[in-house]
Amino acid sequence: METIGIADTGKTHMNTRDLQYVLAVAEHRSFSRAAQACHVSQSTLSGQIKKLEEWLGVALFERTNRRVMPTEVGESIIRSAARILRETDQIREIAMSAQDPLSGRFRIGAFPTLATYVFSKLVSLIKTDLPNLRLVLVEEKTDHLVAMLRSGDIDAALLAMPVHDDSLVCRQLFEEPFLVAMPTGHPLAEEPVIDVHRLAHYPLLLLEEGHCLRDQALDVCQQHGMRVDQDVRATGLETLRQMVRAGTGITLMPRVAVRDDDGIIYRELAAPAPTRSVGLFYRKTSAKRSVIQRIDPLLSRLAASEQQAA
Amino acid sequence: METIGIADTGKTHMNTRDLQYVLAVAEHRSFSRAAQACHVSQSTLSGQIKKLEEWLGVALFERTNRRVMPTEVGESIIRSAARILRETDQIREIAMSAQDPLSGRFRIGAFPTLATYVFSKLVSLIKTDLPNLRLVLVEEKTDHLVAMLRSGDIDAALLAMPVHDDSLVCRQLFEEPFLVAMPTGHPLAEEPVIDVHRLAHYPLLLLEEGHCLRDQALDVCQQHGMRVDQDVRATGLETLRQMVRAGTGITLMPRVAVRDDDGIIYRELAAPAPTRSVGLFYRKTSAKRSVIQRIDPLLSRLAASEQQAA
DNA sequence: CTTTAGTTATCGGTAAAATCGATGTACAAC
DNA sequence: GTTGTACATCGATTTTACCGATAACTAAAG
């Protein structure tokens, strides 16, 4: 029969197997040899090719008993089929190389007053322990990070606890005390350890709205009846540090941000010292849990070294 | 379960249907809506995606009850899947547009002493009647054309009959008488119609080996005891014509090649005049039979106009 | 002309896969 | 809690792919 007109074969979709059959026939120029190559019976291969041809409404091959050759359309379609099979191979390759989740991309976020001090160390730890992991670092304020976590824009985030979001789970990493930062010559600098109540006399400099460090500091203030310098809103922790050095006031500073610094004196607070708790957050459903499980101990080591440095 | 490790799902091949499922989920960000869009039940779609994921060994989507989002690998694979579906669409388009065989490529051959005189007319006929047909013309000697026909390098050929090849079929087009071509002033020119036996006195100029016109002329010679000028072997019909004009000798010329020509006189041969029969040859199994059936009448008209011109 | 060896096409039965509908399970909102 | 809504799972059914045997055909050899 001529292959004009559309036969309803009930077939709805193409199968890569069929395309391989087609390519095999095109290559071997024989149904039976192609069938051997595909490890199916000749009848199966003939039948499948026939169905495909009926579905397409065109003959892919011109059959002689001595020879099988592609038709003109067949040639075009064979080229397309080859492209498709290359692409399916690529899918398998993508999947294969992703079998090892440690060689993928991992997007992790941290809020600004932590990110600066943690990311560089995190990067060097990851580089040695998980060299194939492509790390993407995101420094955003906490609210934004939570939104990104939920929408899948990042895989994990270092956040100050607590964060109330049922779709997320958390592993606590370290508890970090706040220290008092003051300019050299400040009256409080005379004591090696400062009782929180002493701070009531000195209005605290804070970061602008939205920074969780601001909220944490505000918490401390409210608990101990401290005052806040309402006129100053620093945009970043380093700016805040400069202000302290310039004698504008004093502030609370998380320990990660503490460093030897001309013009500034850091003093611990007396127990029970106010702290902030940092945890690693990720979606309960995250597909990257295996990566997270590997990163977790690294972060713990990082946390331990922080404690030790103090 | 984590998607690490290779699960043997018995699955062997990818189906475009599955890829459409994947794309639908990626688009609708929901299994149930995707299922609706694909006109299958949600259970089917879930099951198929799951099987695909197991086969690939990676999760394509991260599922929450409120949200479905592609994993990192998922994104890559979704892009590949989109490319594959585009390509399968193209296959269908190729097949569709080939439904009309009259818009394809048609490769036709003719032997040299015919091609020159027939192809130009054939082209103009096709251009008006089958404007979408892309015509490829091949001028080769008969043996080569037969080989090309058999191997599928051309779809049809105009050949001098008979051609003995069981894989080919033939439709006779026209029977073409040979005329005698001689220089002006030749003794034979005095008669309006020449009896074949008169030619015995004048050795015939012939084409070189391999040309079917040579074989045809040799046949005529043997049948009527004519002689051949063994020293001359023209490489083409126009060369032969120049030789005749130069007075080198006389020759037989098929009527298609006859034209008003200074220095040459053509004379018909007395009945039963020797002829050559030209037919259209194509493979029994040719996928282009529908095109051939449309070209056939055009060739007949061409043949008729030849007869009439005489 | 008959035989033989090689090809593709076809048929019936069987194994496997896709599908459906119903149900299970988890989560979020109220 | 309760309800609503999502995805996962299960068993029965339909559809599909597959095989083996065989038919139909061709080319070449006897």
Side-chain angles (χ1 to χ4, degrees), chain B residues 241-258:
Chain B
R241 204 198 299 272
Q242 297 310 321
M243 289 181 176
V244 171
R245 179 181 288 124
T248 313
I250 67 170
T251 192
L252 293 179
M253 195 148 288
R255 196 171 51 202
V256 280
V258 169

Side-chain angles (χ1 to χ4, degrees), chain A residues 5-18:
Chain A
I6 292 154
D8 183 12
T9 59
K11 196 179 180 68
T12 55
H13 282 272
M14 234 176 275
N15 196 307
T16 56
R17 189 179 29 221
D18 295 342

Side-chain angles (χ1 to χ4, degrees), chain A residues 184-249:
Chain A
T184 46
H186 193 278
L188 287 172
E190 292 169 14
E191 307 168 34
V193 173
I194 299 174
D195 191 280
V196 184
H197 300 97
R198 298 285 311 275
L199 298 177
H201 307 291
Y202 309 93
L204 247 58
L205 306 178
L206 292 186
L207 289 174
E208 62 180 0
E209 299 274 351
H211 284 280
C212 61
L213 178 57
R214 174 190 171 83
D215 301 331
Q216 292 147 9
L218 275 176
D219 271 357
V220 175
C221 290
Q222 286 181 342
Q223 281 172 35
H224 302 94
M226 291 151 54
R227 286 179 298 143
V228 167
D229 186 335
Q230 300 289 354
D231 297 334
V232 179
R233 299 281 164 95
T235 56
L237 204 50
E238 293 308 315
T239 316
L240 198 57
R241 204 198 303 268
Q242 299 311 320
M243 289 182 178
V244 171
R245 178 181 291 126
T248 312

Side-chain angles (χ1 to χ4, degrees), chain A:
Chain A
M1 266 308 286
E2 276 303 302
T3 52
I4 297 180
I6 292 154
D8 183 12
T9 59
K11 196 179 180 68
T12 55
H13 282 272
M14 234 176 275
N15 196 307
T16 56
R17 189 179 29 221
D18 295 342
L19 298 183
Q20 280 187 331
Y21 291 163
V22 168
L23 280 196
V25 172
E27 185 185 347
H28 293 95
R29 310 243 141 193
S30 150
F31 278 57
S32 20
R33 281 197 297 280
Q36 273 187 289
C38 294
H39 306 105
V40 294
S41 71
Q42 171 264 318
S43 66
T44 295
L45 188 135
S46 287
Q48 291 304 108
I49 297 249
K50 183 183 176 180
K51 273 174 60 175
L52 185 57
E53 286 179 326
E54 284 171 355
W55 183 61
L56 290 172
V58 293
L60 299 177
F61 298 100
E62 189 179 317
R63 291 110 157 128
T64 313
N65 287 10
R66 289 283 142 209
R67 191 195 309 275
V68 170
M69 53 194 174
T71 60
E72 184 190 349
V73 224
E75 294 276 17
S76 298
I77 291 181
I78 287 162
R79 280 192 291 274
S80 277
R83 278 192 291 274
I84 289 178
L85 290 180
R86 267 199 298 279
E87 196 72 52
T88 59
D89 283 349
Q90 202 183 333
I91 284 186
R92 298 221 64 178
E93 271 184 39
I94 292 170
M96 287 295 216
S97 66
Q99 290 283 9
D100 177 16
L102 302 182
S103 69
R105 179 188 52 166
F106 191 76
R107 298 161 299 180
I108 188 168
F111 54 87
T113 59
L114 180 67
T116 326
Y117 311 100
V118 166
F119 275 168
S120 64
K121 297 174 185 172
L122 181 60
V123 167
S124 53
L125 280 177
I126 299 263
K127 272 269 170 288
T128 56
D129 272 41
L130 302 170
N132 294 323
L133 198 66
R134 288 175 294 120
L135 210 55
V136 176
L137 303 171
V138 176
E139 177 174 338
E140 289 289 351
K141 293 174 186 167
T142 302
D143 292 350
H144 194 193
L145 287 177
V146 171
M148 290 180 82
L149 264 181
R150 297 182 60 124
S151 65
D153 290 332
I154 55 178
D155 300 302
L158 294 169
L159 300 177
M161 309 212 292
V163 169
H164 297 294
D165 188 313
D166 287 345
S167 68
L168 304 181
V169 289
C170 163
R171 223 186 94 75
Q172 205 217 322
L173 288 174
F174 51 85
E175 192 146 349
E176 182 181 43
F178 289 110
L179 281 77
V180 183
M182 62 197 95
T184 46
H186 193 278
L188 287 172
E190 292 169 14
E191 307 168 34
V193 173
I194 299 174
D195 191 280
V196 184
H197 300 97
R198 298 285 311 275
L199 298 177
H201 307 291
Y202 309 93
L204 247 58
L205 306 178
L206 292 186
L207 289 174
E208 62 180 0
E209 299 274 351
H211 284 280
C212 61
L213 178 57
R214 174 190 171 83
D215 301 331
Q216 292 147 9
L218 275 176
D219 271 357
V220 175
C221 290
Q222 286 181 342
Q223 281 172 35
H224 302 94
M226 291 151 54
R227 286 179 298 143
V228 167
D229 186 335
Q230 300 289 354
D231 297 334
V232 179
R233 299 281 164 95
T235 56
L237 204 50
E238 293 308 315
T239 316
L240 198 57
R241 204 198 303 268
Q242 299 311 320
M243 289 182 178
V244 171
R245 178 181 291 126
T248 312
I250 67 171
T251 192
L252 293 180
M253 195 147 290
R255 196 172 51 202
V256 279
V258 170
R259 62 169 191 241
D260 261 339
D261 215 355
D262 274 347
I264 300 186
I265 294 172
Y266 299 95
R267 287 284 179 266
E268 291 184 20
L269 288 163
T275 59
R276 70 178 184 187
S277 216
V278 173
L280 179 66
F281 289 78
Y282 50 92
R283 291 181 300 279
K284 269 192 267 194
T285 56
S286 176
K288 295 264 179 193
R289 272 201 304 282
S290 58
V291 182
I292 290 168
Q293 282 170 8
R294 288 294 301 273
I295 285 189
D296 199 359
L298 298 186
L299 287 167
S300 300
R301 273 163 55 190
L302 200 152
S305 74
E306 285 298 330
Q307 312 275 15
Q308 190 183 355

Side-chain angles (χ1 to χ4, degrees), chain B residues 10-11 17-18 21 39-41 43-44 48 51 65-66:
Chain B
K11 195 177 180 68
R17 188 180 26 218
D18 296 341
Y21 292 163
H39 306 106
V40 295
S41 69
S43 66
T44 295
Q48 291 305 104
K51 271 174 64 175
N65 288 18
R66 292 283 141 210

Side-chain angles (χ1 to χ4, degrees), chain B residues 31-48:
Chain B
F31 278 58
S32 18
R33 281 198 298 279
Q36 273 187 289
C38 294
H39 306 106
V40 295
S41 69
Q42 172 263 319
S43 66
T44 295
L45 188 134
S46 287
Q48 291 305 104

